[in-house]
Amino acid sequence: MAAALETRGLVKRFGGLVATDNVTFRLEQGARHALIGPNGAGKTTLINLLTGVLAPTSGQIFLDGVDVTQMPPERRVQRGLARTFQINQLFPAMTPLETIGLAVSERMGGGRDWWRVTGSKREIVDEIVEIAQRFRLTDVLDERTSNLAYGKQRLLEIAVAFACRPRVLLLDEPAAGVPEAERHELLATVAALPRDVSVLLIEHDMDLVFSFADRISVLVNGALFAEGTIEEVSTDPRVRAVYLGENVDE
């Protein structure tokens, strides 16, 4: 079976700087995979390559076995690749109802008439309700997004990505900036994502990583430094030295 998402020899150079260094990576179908690494490791650059925001200097990217290296971002979304961002990209004046409705309607071809299409098609309304329930947003559906607690805003951003019906979902530090009191709701929701969606989690919060992932890849200086199960990576002395800052003898 083809990997849900795969890179082969992926390189990105900015002049003399090598931001992504020959990364060969495989995200299995249905995986719960975390990508970790110190600041400046190149995690966001790698995500931007996977989603088509940046073009690689060399190497290839495959989505469900199809080479998407030259595909623009919107085509990758149409083929089932969705992402969230470190800083949310939501419309502050819109409500969660409107935001999810726009995402669902756009996927169904509603375009600029999304508000009319949303109200006239029962399947869109049903899907909005299902997504709102899944992401614990039913109690705030009619509130302005700018008024939501930050944890709810992060849940809404994941909900919008989920509304694209992705087969691969890239979560870029979903817990960043979320207060401790709101983190449990986010953790539980992320953990409950359906298994037919393969998830790559980029995260600094190790509690989230350990509660979610069954496999971890460590990126250092743009290159894959280590990979394995939670136990293998967390007990690897090289990872502890580089990522956790511990002085561990080789």
Side-chain angles (χ1 to χ4, degrees):
M1 180 182 294
L5 183 66
E6 184 178 8
T7 69
R8 298 177 190 170
L10 202 60
V11 174
K12 180 61 181 178
R13 294 190 181 92
F14 296 99
L17 173 66
V18 180
T20 305
D21 188 2
N22 195 34
V23 172
T24 294
F25 168 82
R26 184 178 174 95
L27 179 70
E28 299 292 349
Q29 299 282 350
R32 296 294 182 261
H33 200 128
L35 179 68
I36 67 173
N39 289 330
K43 301 185 296 295
T44 297
T45 298
L46 179 58
I47 294 304
N48 286 336
L49 290 169
L50 295 175
T51 55
V53 174
L54 293 174
T57 304
S58 61
Q60 293 174 288
I61 303 167
F62 295 86
L63 180 61
D64 279 336
V66 176
D67 190 338
V68 299
T69 311
Q70 303 302 322
M71 235 178 239
E74 61 273 16
R75 288 283 309 283
R76 300 186 198 201
V77 173
Q78 291 167 1
R79 292 195 65 88
L81 178 63
R83 73 172 290 184
T84 63
F85 295 82
Q86 290 182 24
I87 300 173
N88 77 55
Q89 307 289 304
L90 301 170
F91 298 106
M94 292 176 66
T95 66
L97 174 63
E98 294 167 334
T99 304
I100 297 170
L102 174 59
V104 174
S105 180
E106 182 68 27
R107 194 196 75 234
M108 293 184 174
R112 67 184 64 184
D113 293 328
W114 64 272
W115 56 274
R116 185 181 295 114
V117 174
T118 297
S120 63
K121 290 193 175 181
R122 185 70 212 178
E123 64 268 27
I124 294 181
V125 174
D126 289 344
E127 187 169 346
I128 292 170
V129 171
E130 188 277 327
I131 291 173
Q133 291 173 340
R134 177 181 292 279
F135 290 93
R136 308 178 186 219
L137 295 167
T138 53
D139 57 332
V140 295
L141 268 179
D142 294 319
E143 293 188 27
R144 283 171 58 106
T145 296
S146 59
N147 295 335
L148 300 182
Y150 193 63
K152 290 290 189 182
Q153 292 184 25
R154 301 300 284 186
L155 284 170
L156 177 57
E157 188 176 17
I158 302 172
V160 169
F162 187 81
C164 297
R165 289 195 178 169
R167 293 191 301 279
V168 175
L169 180 59
L170 310 179
L171 300 178
D172 195 352
E173 298 192 29
V178 177
E180 191 65 37
E182 299 170 37
R183 228 169 251 200
H184 173 75
E185 185 176 44
L186 188 145
L187 286 171
T189 306
V190 170
L193 288 171
R195 278 283 173 172
D196 59 352
V197 179
S198 307
V199 182
L200 179 61
L201 174 75
I202 301 88
E203 188 53 70
H204 281 294
D205 185 330
M206 297 311 293
D207 287 338
L208 179 52
V209 170
F210 291 153
S211 67
F212 178 78
D214 43 41
R215 192 164 184 83
I216 299 175
S217 295
V218 184
L219 198 68
V220 176
N221 295 327
L224 280 180
F225 182 74
E227 190 171 79
T229 64
I230 290 176
E231 182 179 2
E232 289 168 342
V233 170
S234 63
T235 58
D236 187 327
R238 299 174 309 130
V239 174
R240 298 179 72 86
V242 171
Y243 185 68
L244 300 177
E246 295 184 2
N247 293 318
V248 181
D249 293 334
E250 292 289 346

